Amino acid sequence: MNWISNYVRPKINSLFSRREVPENLWTKCPECGTMLFHRELADNLNVCTNCDHHMAISPRERFSALFDGGIFAEVAVPEPTPDPLHFRDQKKYPDRLRAAQKSTAEKEAMLVVEGEIARTPVVAAAQNFAFMAGSMGMYVGNAIVAAAERAVKLNRPLVLFSAAGGARMQEGILSLMQMPRTTVAVQMLKEANLPYIVVLTHPTTGGVTASYAMLGDVQISEPNALICFAGPRVIEQTIREKLPEGFQRAEYLLDHGMLDRVTHRKDLRDELVTILRMLTGQPPAVKGDLPAPEPVALPATPTAE
């Protein structure tokens, strides 16, 4: 019986058992709880089809939808000194970096690229909140400086997508020094008369908000994004008062003059094209190209004999 129960029965069960379903086919919306099929969610740019909640989206996914044909080229970013403070808490800082690199398949928390949006040449940078909460370290500072220098060299506007929990504590004062560095980089763009557009996504907080994220010529935000220096919970505990409904959310900041626009992710591409072409003195973008006319064979001209 041991041979039948230990070998034959498991073999038969394996032949007729159902295939295992991958666990990542469905995503639950954190706002309304709707289960969303992964392809449907990706086609909708990671926006819930039921309640329009804007979920996190990686820089590469965002750029693939933003640039013409999904084509863009990465801009090289200088590598900073690894683990300059030899910081360690529950883990060593290099171990945290390797874990973040493995989970995101990215080198660091910011990606800088160049390409065309509706035939409008731009340089773009985006933070990845999945990489150590998009925290601003020396690499992020180098990335913004590299993006600004590349924009000045090519005479192109710079579009930046922010998403961060603030400065990276593992780099201490070196992280905080990226605030003035990035401010100087933005000033380079202003001196070159190049537009600097910031798109604030959920969440943008801490030293990022206190520096390059609030220095744009035009400030755009995605709906319901949290944008602040100190979070609402910290403020409530400090002043011991209840904050207004929607405090520090994008719509609240728009009503109080801190933002210029709150734009749905699906409409963001067209809005960026309109603003960039207006600020750079270009004509409106062409929505679509007509095919070239087919050559028509002309009748032969009779010759006099």
Side-chain angles (χ1 to χ4, degrees):
M1 291 297 293
N2 286 340
W3 178 77
I4 295 176
S5 60
N6 294 339
Y7 180 78
V8 177
R9 184 178 295 171
K11 196 71 174 177
I12 294 174
N13 289 339
S14 66
L15 291 175
F16 293 98
S17 61
R18 293 185 303 172
R19 293 182 180 179
E20 293 184 1
V21 178
E23 296 180 355
N24 59 349
L25 290 182
W26 297 87
T27 300
K28 185 177 181 180
C29 174
E31 191 71 18
C32 67
T34 302
M35 297 300 293
L36 304 165
F37 190 55
H38 70 110
R39 290 179 183 172
E40 181 183 15
L41 185 61
D43 291 341
N44 208 41
L45 300 179
N46 279 23
V47 177
C48 177
T49 55
N50 182 56
C51 68
D52 257 0
H53 174 68
H54 284 53
M55 304 181 198
I57 185 171
S58 71
R60 291 189 186 275
E61 291 174 326
R62 185 184 291 277
F63 289 151
S64 295
L66 186 66
F67 286 101
D68 296 345
I71 300 172
F72 54 87
E74 292 189 41
V75 175
V77 176
E79 294 281 348
T81 304
D83 195 15
L85 304 180
H86 303 288
F87 189 94
R88 176 170 185 165
D89 47 285
Q90 294 177 343
K91 289 183 180 180
K92 293 181 180 179
Y93 180 36
D95 293 341
R96 289 192 181 276
L97 284 175
R98 281 191 290 269
Q101 289 167 351
K102 183 178 180 180
S103 64
T104 62
E106 293 290 351
K107 185 185 298 183
E108 251 285 355
M110 180 165 275
L111 180 65
V112 183
V113 302
E114 60 184 66
E116 292 187 347
I117 309 174
R119 297 189 178 181
T120 308
V122 300
V123 175
Q127 284 178 275
N128 190 349
F129 192 79
F131 193 105
M132 295 185 68
S135 50
M136 177 183 62
M138 291 188 295
Y139 185 94
V140 171
N142 288 353
I144 296 173
V145 172
E149 290 177 343
R150 187 66 176 170
V152 171
K153 181 179 179 180
L154 299 178
N155 196 35
R156 295 183 178 184
L158 175 60
V159 180
L160 187 140
F161 298 86
S162 65
R168 186 171 296 177
M169 69 173 188
Q170 289 87 350
E171 296 183 12
I173 188 64
L174 298 173
S175 174
L176 295 177
M177 287 303 296
Q178 306 314 307
M179 295 169 65
R181 282 191 74 212
T182 55
T183 303
V184 171
V186 173
Q187 186 61 31
M188 290 168 48
L189 295 167
K190 296 186 183 299
E191 291 176 358
N193 292 321
L194 293 172
Y196 173 53
I197 311 299
V198 179
V199 181
L200 299 107
T201 68
H202 177 78
T204 300
T205 62
V208 171
T209 310
S211 54
Y212 58 88
M214 296 302 291
L215 296 176
D217 298 311
V218 179
Q219 300 285 133
I220 307 173
S221 175
E222 292 185 341
N224 203 37
L226 177 66
I227 303 165
C228 61
F229 182 73
R233 184 180 60 183
V234 175
I235 296 175
E236 283 186 341
Q237 292 175 350
T238 302
I239 65 176
R240 301 183 186 281
E241 291 185 14
K242 187 68 177 174
L243 296 172
E245 184 69 25
F247 183 69
Q248 294 181 322
R249 294 289 174 169
E251 291 77 9
Y252 183 93
L253 298 180
L254 178 66
D255 292 340
H256 289 76
M258 290 190 67
L259 296 175
D260 298 306
R261 302 280 289 173
V262 174
T263 305
H264 195 284
R265 189 175 290 167
K266 291 190 293 185
D267 302 327
L268 188 57
R269 185 178 189 270
D270 290 339
E271 184 147 313
L272 283 174
V273 170
T274 300
I275 293 172
L276 289 170
R277 296 183 77 88
M278 180 177 63
L279 292 178
T280 53
Q282 300 180 59
V286 177
K287 293 294 183 180
D289 293 329
L290 295 174
E294 297 181 2
V296 178
L298 298 177
T301 305
T303 56
E305 294 182 358

